[in-house]
């Protein structure tokens, strides 16, 4: 039996090494944005009960060093004074355009419906999306994202991170999970298989949206306005990755574990609607890491071929560490790297729990 367990352990180790060697596609990427762009841009922000966040994070968007852009703010049936805040910004700055969405029976609490109305309101054909609790990390955010639309590209994948709190272990876990997700979708896109993006920092053309018939194929799902759209529409020819440090956004992370788990359940609930090849790759990636750690613990307890087991584990962790370090340097998340073995184990088993919870019942509302 121990020999069989060792065989599976070596198999899962090889699979993990294969994935992380593939992730070097992003970790070693030195490509630069293809020059300046002066395309007319519509920034679209969907806000639901975001009055305070809009006060804090809309000014950095309006302060962008870019000559030709408007900001579409969608008030998605908010119950606070979000509408009043948007109207105040609108009176102050003519680039701010309001879309006031009222709940209706057919599209109750459906963010995709609200986003569709915002896209229809946009005057410009190049759209950049972010959330109301997100702030661009430089005045050149629009400039860098807009350059991605050159060379016949219609989808631009950006990085949406979270604000740092050096005193919070949960904050490091959230940012590590975000880093790992970015490594995956940037690497797969670099290898010719873009499969997702994040709505905190995502861009595509209105033509791409209408050619794809918007969110029609998954409008019945509460989540997936970002990753499901990209999963359907993106390919090697039409997708550009933009990971310049000045092109990132950061948003407010959840302050407690329960809220973060609910958020991750909502995000994970749409993964079952990805293309089959993407589901297989993601499932294999997470399963191999889950069983790697389980079998590592069992084999060390049994002390069976422990020298081989430890040597193999050390190789896997070394390759992971190199990928994380290089990628974290690009995305300015270096402080989470040294904790990655602990964070990875916790994240793997958390994701397993989320999978079980979502198998029983799925979250229903986007916020």
């Amino acid at each position: 039996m121990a020999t069989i367990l060792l065989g599976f352990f070596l198999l899962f180790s090889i699979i993990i090494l294969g994935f992380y060697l593939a992730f070097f596609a992003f970790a070693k990427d030195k490509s630069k944005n293809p020059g300046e762009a002066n395309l007319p841009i519509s920034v679209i922000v969907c806000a639901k009960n975001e009055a305070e966040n809009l006060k804090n994070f809309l000014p950095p968007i309006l302060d962008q060093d870019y000559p030709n852009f408007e900001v579409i703010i969608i008030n998605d049936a908010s119950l606070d004074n979000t509408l009043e805040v948007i109207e105040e910004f609108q009176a102050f700055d003519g680039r701010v355009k309001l879309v006031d969405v009222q709940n209706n029976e057919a599209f109750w609490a459906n963010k995709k419906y609200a986003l569709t109305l915002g896209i229809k309101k946009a005057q410009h054909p190049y759209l950049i999306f972010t959330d109301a609790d997100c702030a661009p990390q430089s005045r050149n955010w629009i400039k860098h994202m807009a350059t991605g639309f050159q060379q016949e590209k219609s989808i631009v994948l950006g990085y949406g991170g979270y604000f740092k709190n050096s005193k919070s272990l949960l904050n490091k876990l959230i940012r590590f999970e975000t880093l790992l997700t970015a490594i995956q979708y940037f690497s797969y896109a670099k290898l010719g298989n873009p499969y997702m993006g994040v709505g905190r920092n995502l861009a595509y053309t209105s033509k791409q949206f209408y050619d794809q018939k918007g969110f029609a194929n998954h409008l019945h799902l509460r989540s997936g306005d970002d990753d499901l759209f990209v999963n359907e529409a993106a390919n090697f020819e039409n997708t550009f990755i933009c990971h310049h440090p000045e092109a990132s956004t950061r948003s407010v992370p959840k302050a407690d574990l329960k809220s973060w788990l609910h958020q991750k359940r909502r995000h994970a609930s749409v993964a079952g609607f990805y293309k089959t090849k993407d589901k297989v790759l993601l499932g294999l990636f997470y399963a191999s890491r889950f069983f790697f750690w389980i079998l590592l613990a069992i084999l060390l307890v049994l002390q069976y071929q422990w020298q081989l087991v430890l040597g193999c584990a050390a190789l896997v962790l070394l390759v992971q560490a190199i990928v994380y370090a290089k990628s974290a340097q690009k995305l300015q998340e270096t402080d989470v790297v040294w904790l990655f073995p602990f964070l990875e184990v916790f994240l793997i088993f958390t994701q397993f729990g989320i999978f079980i919870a979502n198998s029983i019942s799925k979250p229903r509302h986007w916020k």
Side-chain angles (χ1 to χ4, degrees):
M1 177 60 73
T3 303
I4 295 174
L5 294 178
L6 177 62
F8 278 112
F9 173 76
L10 295 176
L11 173 63
F12 290 128
S13 298
I14 292 171
I15 293 173
I16 294 171
L17 286 172
F19 275 108
Y20 279 87
L21 290 173
F23 293 161
F24 271 109
F26 169 65
K28 298 194 302 181
D29 181 40
K30 296 181 180 180
S31 60
K32 298 180 180 179
N33 284 5
E36 293 289 324
N38 189 24
L39 303 170
I41 298 293
S42 291
V43 177
I44 299 181
V45 181
C46 194
K48 188 176 185 69
N49 302 323
E50 297 280 11
E52 292 305 313
N53 281 328
L54 286 174
K55 293 177 184 178
N56 292 327
F57 301 131
L58 187 50
I61 294 177
L62 296 173
D63 192 42
Q64 288 292 296
D65 183 16
Y66 197 78
N68 189 6
F69 73 99
E70 64 176 358
V71 183
I72 310 294
I73 310 294
I74 308 164
N75 174 41
D76 188 11
S78 298
L79 299 177
D80 64 357
N81 63 330
T82 292
L83 177 59
E84 289 78 6
V85 171
I86 299 173
E87 289 174 336
E88 290 176 5
F89 276 104
Q90 191 176 28
F92 173 75
D93 194 319
R95 295 172 299 175
V96 176
K97 309 295 171 59
L98 167 66
V99 176
D100 189 21
V101 179
Q102 303 296 320
N103 272 326
N104 62 66
E105 186 174 351
F107 300 105
W108 190 269
N110 194 316
K111 183 182 180 183
K112 295 171 188 174
Y113 171 67
L115 281 172
T116 299
L117 296 182
I119 291 170
K120 290 182 177 180
K121 177 78 172 183
Q123 294 182 353
H124 303 316
Y126 301 97
L127 315 174
I128 300 178
F129 298 83
T130 190
D131 288 342
D133 64 347
C134 291
Q137 293 305 284
S138 81
R139 296 185 67 234
N140 296 316
W141 168 60
I142 293 179
K143 183 183 299 182
H144 286 291
M145 291 293 286
T147 60
F149 285 123
Q150 299 181 67
Q151 302 177 346
E152 306 302 321
K153 304 297 185 181
S154 58
I155 299 174
V156 183
L157 307 180
Y159 178 64
Y162 288 96
F163 292 115
K164 301 177 183 180
N165 181 351
S166 59
K167 298 180 181 179
S168 169
L169 185 59
L170 175 62
N171 179 269
K172 286 184 171 57
L173 175 64
I174 292 172
R175 290 191 295 111
F176 174 75
E177 190 271 341
T178 304
L179 170 65
L180 176 56
T181 301
I183 290 171
Q184 289 178 271
Y185 70 75
F186 279 141
S187 294
Y188 288 163
K190 191 72 179 176
L191 294 169
N193 182 41
Y195 76 95
M196 70 160 285
V198 293
R200 300 186 302 275
N201 197 7
L202 174 66
Y204 47 81
T205 64
S206 57
K207 183 179 185 303
Q208 181 71 68
F209 180 79
Y210 292 121
D211 287 349
Q212 197 66 29
K213 297 181 180 179
F215 307 120
N217 291 334
H218 46 87
L219 189 61
H220 61 290
L221 301 174
R222 299 301 184 185
S223 300
D225 55 276
D226 46 8
D227 53 348
L228 285 183
F229 181 84
V230 172
N231 194 257
E232 285 188 341
N235 56 55
F236 178 71
E237 287 77 21
N238 70 4
T239 304
F240 181 85
I241 66 172
C242 183
H243 54 78
H244 193 285
E246 291 187 343
S248 66
T249 65
R250 290 196 182 272
S251 60
V252 180
K254 298 299 181 182
D256 60 89
L257 183 61
K258 182 179 179 180
S259 298
W260 178 69
L261 289 175
H262 178 76
Q263 180 187 56
K264 297 315 299 177
R265 283 190 61 195
R266 176 166 51 81
H267 292 167
S269 66
V270 302
F273 297 91
Y274 286 0
K275 294 174 184 175
T276 300
K277 64 177 180 179
D278 299 321
K279 289 191 289 186
V280 170
L281 285 172
L282 291 172
L284 182 60
F285 177 63
Y286 287 110
S288 62
R289 291 158 64 230
F290 177 81
F291 289 111
F292 169 85
W293 287 103
I294 293 289
L295 292 172
L296 175 61
I298 293 174
L299 290 169
L300 289 179
V301 169
L302 295 176
Q303 296 186 3
Y304 183 75
Q305 296 285 342
W306 63 268
Q307 298 97 330
L308 174 61
V309 171
L310 284 179
C312 184
L315 176 61
V316 169
L317 293 176
L318 176 62
V319 172
Q320 286 181 306
I322 294 172
V323 171
Y324 287 141
K326 288 184 173 293
S327 301
Q329 187 174 19
K330 290 179 183 294
L331 302 177
Q332 299 182 323
E333 303 286 9
T334 54
D335 63 309
V336 303
V337 173
W338 67 279
L339 276 175
F340 90 85
F342 166 76
L343 296 175
E344 168 144 327
V345 172
F346 188 86
L347 182 61
I348 290 170
F349 287 93
T350 298
Q351 290 168 328
F352 181 74
I354 289 172
F355 172 78
I356 298 299
N358 279 1
S359 299
I360 299 171
S361 65
K362 288 181 171 58
R364 297 183 60 84
H365 300 289
W366 82 272
K367 192 162 186 176

